[in-house]
Amino acid sequence: MAGNGPGQGPDHGDDGGNGLGVATRTRTRTKQPTPYRVLMLNDDYTPMEFVVLCLQRFFRMSMDDATRVMLHVHQRGVGVCGIFSYEVAETKVAQVIDFARANQHPLQCTLEKA
């Protein structure tokens, strides 16, 4: 006859002899990435239509939203294009600047912690 007495099976240990153990589960929480704002800066040379095109192309804005942001940049000197993770924000800034340079415009775009 087999049993689970002392020394006879897997239940011999520091569990008080009752065969029960304590189960624990560690929950890992994924930390949210730090958000970054992509900002477009006003200048006196880049055409408004080009700014609207950039907002539509790189930030997927509608014509109305892109026009509203462009006017805000024009009137206030700076405007928020969107909020993204660092990598996405950095990529969008580079895309806008590269596209502006390729079209011979001095448009500036930057990012900051949100």
Side-chain angles (χ1 to χ4, degrees):
M1 193 162 151
N4 282 342
Q8 292 184 354
D11 288 334
H12 72 84
D14 296 329
D15 61 3
N18 63 6
L20 300 175
V22 178
T24 59
R25 177 180 292 163
T26 303
R27 290 191 176 185
T28 308
R29 288 200 171 172
T30 305
K31 185 179 174 190
Q32 290 289 345
T34 303
Y36 283 80
R37 279 188 208 98
V38 175
L39 305 173
M40 192 167 283
L41 308 175
N42 188 45
D43 64 71
D44 293 331
Y45 304 101
T46 305
M48 292 179 177
E49 296 80 14
F50 185 80
V51 174
V52 170
L53 175 65
C54 287
L55 292 167
Q56 289 179 302
R57 178 175 286 192
F58 301 110
F59 300 97
R60 300 189 186 269
M61 291 186 188
S62 67
M63 178 63 105
D64 289 342
D65 288 341
T67 301
R68 183 178 43 77
V69 171
M70 177 275 297
L71 288 172
H72 183 86
V73 170
H74 181 69
Q75 294 166 353
R76 305 268 171 93
V78 65
V80 177
C81 302
I83 299 175
F84 309 94
S85 67
Y86 179 79
E87 292 80 10
V88 172
E90 184 179 45
T91 299
K92 289 191 180 287
V93 166
Q95 288 174 328
V96 170
I97 291 173
D98 290 347
F99 186 62
R101 296 303 166 270
N103 287 277
Q104 301 178 351
H105 296 299
L107 183 63
Q108 286 294 312
C109 200
T110 188
L111 57 93
E112 70 179 13
K113 280 189 179 180

